[in-house]
Amino acid sequence: MRGTTVVLDRDGTLLDFYEMFHRFVLDLHERQRVTPPSREEILGFAYWTEITSGRLRIGSVRVRDRVDEVALRYMEHGRLYAGVPAMLTALSRAGVRLALVSSWVGTEPTVSLFERYGVRHCFGPVLTRDDLAGRGTETADADCKTELARRALDDLGHPTGDRLYVVGDTPSDMALGRRLEAVTVGVRTGNGGTLPDRGAPGGPDVLLPSAAELATLVLGR
């Protein structure tokens, strides 16, 4: 499989970040001396929408202004989904080129997480918004991820014509794959419940329950 490259999303694809996010929100409530809502409410989509819209405040803090702390300060509470370390190891041993790209921040914490799980050696580039050299806050998510993915492919020496997969849990990941003319692989973990079905407009070429199934897909081809 030495003619194959896989570009992986991080959050919700490889990384279960829910405990990271929950602890971040609880700590903000504690520092602001405010009683937090239930875990179920905190982890709900409506709560996240309130954050991204800029409407949610905890005490005097607008949460959107602090949300990068989740990736930068709470990665120690994150975990890779079950089966993901074994999947990464299998692909790496088979000679598949692997890269991670994220339009969120946290390159160093991500590398530390991979080292903790013993899978850093499986990857070539590990790139996040941190790696946009001073333009991180100005670049739209789609443009950020596209630039990072193209940089990763260059770093890996991915030649035109070799098989390329892009794996993620959101419609934007599928759009990235189409821009790169890759096989798009959606996963149902993270925000994958919002992905259209395979074959539907905007849907992935392949839909998996989790990234743990990826080695079977890639090596089976």
Side-chain angles (χ1 to χ4, degrees), residues 34-54:
V34 179
T35 301
S38 67
R39 178 184 175 90
E40 181 180 12
E41 180 177 341
I42 290 171
L43 298 181
F45 183 72
Y47 195 83
W48 179 251
T49 301
E50 286 291 294
I51 292 174
T52 56
S53 69

Side-chain angles (χ1 to χ4, degrees), residues 58-190:
I58 297 174
S60 62
V61 175
R62 188 172 72 157
V63 180
R64 189 176 68 181
D65 297 337
R66 302 281 289 276
V67 76
D68 282 355
E69 293 180 15
V70 178
L72 296 174
R73 295 182 53 197
Y74 289 82
M75 192 69 74
E76 65 182 289
H77 301 295
R79 63 183 183 88
L80 298 181
Y81 285 111
V84 162
M87 174 274 293
L88 295 171
T89 300
L91 290 179
S92 176
R93 286 177 176 170
V96 176
R97 297 175 293 250
L98 299 176
L100 178 134
V101 297
S102 174
S103 57
W104 205 6
V105 297
T107 299
E108 289 187 11
T110 303
V111 169
S112 295
L113 175 76
F114 288 163
E115 290 173 344
R116 170 157 56 98
Y117 276 89
V119 296
R120 175 61 186 96
H121 69 282
C122 298
F123 288 90
V126 174
L127 302 172
T128 76
R129 186 174 286 272
D130 293 345
D131 299 295
L132 287 183
R135 297 183 293 110
T137 59
E138 304 169 5
T139 305
D141 285 353
D143 294 335
C144 169
K145 206 157 194 179
T146 300
E147 179 175 337
L148 293 176
R150 294 193 187 282
R151 187 189 308 178
L153 294 177
D154 287 344
D155 289 348
L156 288 170
H158 173 80
T160 302
D162 274 13
R163 184 173 289 274
L164 175 62
Y165 296 85
V166 170
V167 186
D169 67 315
T170 65
S172 63
D173 295 319
M174 303 305 100
L176 171 66
R178 289 189 289 274
R179 284 193 293 273
L180 298 178
E181 299 182 344
V183 176
T184 56
V185 181
V187 295
R188 284 301 192 195
T189 52

